[in-house]
Amino acid sequence: MALSDFLKQLDEFSASAVEAFGRCGDAGSLESARIEFLGAKSGTLRALQKQLGTLQSDEKPQGGKRFNEVKREVEESFKTAAARLESGESTGGAAKGPRFDPTLPGQAFDIGHLHPITQTIEELKDIMGRLGFSVADGPEVEDERHNFEALNIPLEHPARDPLDNFYLSVAGKDAKGPLLLRSQTSTVQIRVMEQTAPPVRVISIGRVYRPDTADATHYPMFHQMEGLLIDRHVTMADLKTVLRLFATSYLGHDVHIRFRPSFFPFTEPSVEVDMSWGDGWIEFGGAGMVDPNVLQSVGYDPEQVSGFAFGLGVERLCMRRHRITDIREFYRNDVRFLRQF
Ligand code: FA5
């Protein structure tokens, strides 16, 4: 027999014996494998030993050396498999560690989910995005210019009463006058218009703060979605269309909305927006045509552009959608409530 063929047979023998021992899951199959590969009478190793004798005499030393190496490897691998079974492991190959029972049910992990208000905010952004509104952001700590003055709320206006706002005792670095937690997202209208030339089509959703007493429909911290659209020839009919499209997208086609005449210093005319709630109505926001004074305060020309703005209560929308009757549920952090969304 040629030396090269003999060496090849040794390699094949080694690979299949090591693989077979590693696969054995119990003592019976390991013993059968031992007899097959290492059996003294008719095992493969014994057959290979006989082949060794058929090599040319000058090739015998090399063949013999390799034979002994392979014999040692395979015997080692047998001993390792025997020790593994002895220690109680049933699986072979690379598996290490404790026994694994694949028939046991898996462990369910509590991974939590987004708060219902966060989910609502994402959905509102999505709906308004489809109506062509992009998202703008503004700070929660504001100065009086953005929270009041530029919104046409003069110094003596009751909305600026310290009892109706959370004024801060620290003053801002550059801000003139005191700082406060914003009481409405209308502040972002001003910030956007200060930085962008018309046309404008944005929403802004975020927290606002008012020292209101908490009851079923009020909370001292809540969220508003502000909308602002400025362009040429924008009318009240556009406002109504956008709000109706928004309400039916979010709440379904059986929802009705109505406008009631109202007053906001920064819109003229102004309306309060209600939506149907069971047999009655619930107010979910204020809106109107942006007052020319506001357009002027940010450097827009009211002769050239007009626009509408609205500010909606996010909690109220979510309550209407899920028939939640008390706004305080959102902030009690009771997982039995939160888990339902
Ligand atoms: C405003 O805040 C105006 N900035 C809205 C506006 C924007 C008008 C742009 C015109 C143009 P109002 O104070 O009504 O308006 O608040 C708007 C909505 O916020 C209310 O309709 C209500 O849905 C919600 N809201 C007001 N106060 C609370 C509160 N304490 N808790 C929960 N939601 C509230």
Side-chain angles (χ1 to χ4, degrees):
M1 181 183 221
L3 177 65
S4 59
D5 289 343
F6 180 67
L7 295 178
K8 200 163 148 235
Q9 281 187 20
L10 280 176
D11 287 343
E12 283 166 8
F13 162 71
S14 170
S16 44
V18 168
E19 199 262 333
F21 293 150
R23 217 175 341 104
C24 289
D26 57 67
S29 57
L30 183 63
E31 180 56 12
S32 311
R34 187 194 68 76
I35 292 169
E36 181 187 342
F37 293 104
L38 300 174
K41 281 196 192 124
S42 56
T44 321
L45 186 74
R46 178 85 188 104
L48 285 164
Q49 195 175 13
K50 284 183 190 150
Q51 303 267 29
L52 180 61
T54 68
L55 293 181
Q56 308 262 334
S57 47
D58 59 337
E59 290 176 345
K60 271 189 187 143
Q62 200 190 338
K65 186 164 169 274
R66 182 70 190 131
F67 176 85
N68 286 331
E69 282 167 6
V70 165
K71 181 171 182 257
R72 228 176 297 121
E73 273 167 30
V74 173
E75 282 172 351
E76 272 309 306
S77 125
F78 169 74
K79 279 188 207 150
T80 309
R84 169 171 57 76
L85 292 178
E86 188 95 330
S87 73
E89 263 182 60
S90 63
T91 46
K96 288 246 153 56
R99 237 191 255 216
F100 174 69
D101 182 350
T103 62
L104 287 175
Q107 273 178 354
F109 290 104
D110 247 345
I111 53 169
H113 62 71
L114 295 177
H115 189 277
I117 293 299
T118 312
Q119 292 182 31
T120 306
I121 289 172
E122 291 309 314
E123 194 171 342
L124 301 186
K125 283 182 185 166
D126 196 49
I127 293 170
M128 295 309 292
R130 277 184 263 135
L131 292 174
F133 287 77
S134 55
V135 177
D137 234 342
E140 288 177 29
V141 173
E142 265 297 4
D143 53 45
E144 290 190 300
R145 166 167 163 76
H146 292 93
N147 205 77
F148 301 124
E149 275 148 40
L151 287 164
N152 204 26
I153 305 174
L155 201 54
E156 65 281 3
H157 196 280
R160 295 175 76 150
D161 191 325
L163 293 176
D164 289 332
N165 294 283
F166 286 112
Y167 279 94
L168 304 185
S169 53
V170 290
K173 259 193 255 140
D174 318 313
K176 292 187 208 88
L179 295 175
L180 72 161
L181 297 180
R182 67 180 177 192
S183 60
Q184 49 185 348
T185 43
S186 300
T187 53
V188 188
Q189 286 183 35
I190 303 301
R191 291 190 174 273
V192 169
M193 288 190 287
E194 279 172 343
Q195 284 157 18
T196 334
V200 170
R201 193 185 272 230
V202 293
I203 55 157
S204 184
I205 308 184
R207 295 190 187 94
V208 298
Y209 304 84
R210 294 180 191 178
D212 288 348
T213 307
D215 63 21
T217 51
H218 294 84
Y219 209 73
M221 184 284 300
F222 60 100
H223 295 74
Q224 286 188 334
M225 174 169 79
E226 194 78 13
L228 175 71
L229 188 147
I230 307 278
D231 208 336
R232 288 177 186 278
H233 316 301
V234 180
T235 69
M236 200 77 179
D238 300 316
L239 167 62
K240 218 167 172 174
T241 304
V242 166
L243 284 179
R244 182 162 289 134
L245 276 172
F246 162 73
T248 49
S249 303
Y250 181 63
L251 294 165
H253 284 278
D254 55 342
V255 71
H256 295 285
I257 64 166
R258 73 174 183 195
F259 286 2
R260 277 180 294 116
S262 186
F263 174 79
F264 294 101
F266 36 92
T267 46
E268 180 59 35
S270 302
V271 289
E272 214 90 64
V273 193
D274 297 340
M275 56 192 164
S276 50
W277 173 272
D279 295 334
W281 297 87
I282 182 169
E283 175 201 313
F284 73 108
M289 300 304 293
V290 180
D291 194 291
N293 285 346
V294 174
L295 295 175
Q296 252 156 5
S297 80
V298 295
Y300 284 11
D301 181 356
E303 299 296 324
Q304 295 294 318
V305 290
S306 58
F308 65 72
F310 56 83
L312 315 180
V314 173
E315 280 80 356
R316 302 254 181 111
L317 287 164
C318 181
M319 287 167 76
R320 170 68 173 76
R321 165 84 163 265
H322 297 288
R323 311 246 159 221
I324 297 162
T325 49
D326 195 326
I327 193 172
R328 289 167 291 195
E329 294 290 359
F330 290 123
Y331 301 111
R332 277 198 184 109
N333 273 340
D334 185 335
V335 287
R336 288 169 301 180
F337 170 78
L338 297 173
R339 203 174 269 148
Q340 300 174 65
F341 298 93

